[in-house]
Amino acid sequence: MSRGTGIRKSPSKPPHDRTMGKEPKTMTYSSVAVIWKTLHERFYNMASSLPEEALGLRIGTASIGYMLRHNAEVEYMFAEWFFRRGLPPGLEILTSRGPAAGRDRAEFMDREGLLALLRASNEHVTEAMRELPEEAWQAAVDSPMGASTPLEAVSRLLYHTGLHAGQISLIHKHAQPAGQAT
């Protein structure tokens, strides 16, 4: 402290300079969970606000219902690929071949079923993240998408969810119901 002022002298380097060149601490589940929970809650709230008749709206081959199902399935696949948590028994991946391959499936039109799947996939991937040992967050994992660390995989999930949220909003705003000109 400076004599008589009660104020500590600042370090010789500003705080941001002391950390330059040092690797950041490892990202932990508790850090990732806050970000994931915020994004997923927003996505789920958007999905739950959609009326059932909006699920069939589409621009091109992908309907809103398809995208909701796809988002949940990707969460399950990432939990399996990057966090080593197997798919739940009986889960059928319907969207891996693209929207044209699964066009007009009844599963894409079931609002309550899609919302339940989104809740379950979130619980599944969140639990997989919670169980991942600290040291594994930065270790590359081979997957059908190529090698990626679990931390990078979460970043991809965040991007993926945000991308489809925007597409769903665009479709909901601009798509015409079936049978009307677009």
Side-chain angles (χ1 to χ4, degrees), residues 4-142:
T5 64
I7 300 173
R8 292 183 185 262
K9 288 186 178 180
S10 61
S12 59
K13 291 184 179 181
H16 66 278
D17 286 345
R18 290 186 305 221
T19 59
M20 297 284 277
K22 293 182 181 177
E23 289 296 315
K25 289 186 176 182
T26 302
M27 182 68 80
T28 62
Y29 166 74
S30 60
S31 299
V32 169
V34 173
I35 299 164
W36 175 252
K37 181 180 179 208
T38 301
L39 178 89
H40 202 275
E41 279 180 359
R42 292 181 74 102
F43 186 82
Y44 182 84
N45 289 341
M46 183 251 338
S48 65
S49 73
L50 293 167
E52 193 151 30
E53 54 272 11
L55 299 178
L57 294 175
R58 68 181 76 241
I59 294 177
T61 57
S63 69
I64 289 176
Y66 168 88
M67 284 193 217
L68 294 175
R69 172 82 189 205
H70 171 69
N71 218 73
E73 289 179 5
V74 167
E75 290 172 15
Y76 278 120
M77 290 187 293
F78 271 48
E80 180 180 44
W81 296 347
F82 298 105
F83 297 93
R84 304 298 187 226
R85 186 177 180 90
L87 296 176
L91 176 69
E92 185 180 1
I93 303 296
L94 303 176
T95 65
S96 64
R97 298 219 183 270
R103 191 169 184 138
D104 301 326
R105 292 189 65 112
E107 292 90 345
F108 303 160
M109 300 302 294
D110 176 7
R111 181 179 180 276
E112 292 308 314
L114 289 168
L115 293 174
L117 187 65
L118 285 168
R119 287 189 302 271
S121 66
N122 178 54
E123 288 174 24
H124 189 81
V125 76
T126 299
E127 189 59 32
M129 288 182 212
R130 183 180 294 115
E131 292 172 353
L132 191 69
E134 181 69 31
E135 63 279 1
W137 280 95
Q138 298 291 337
V141 176
D142 287 326

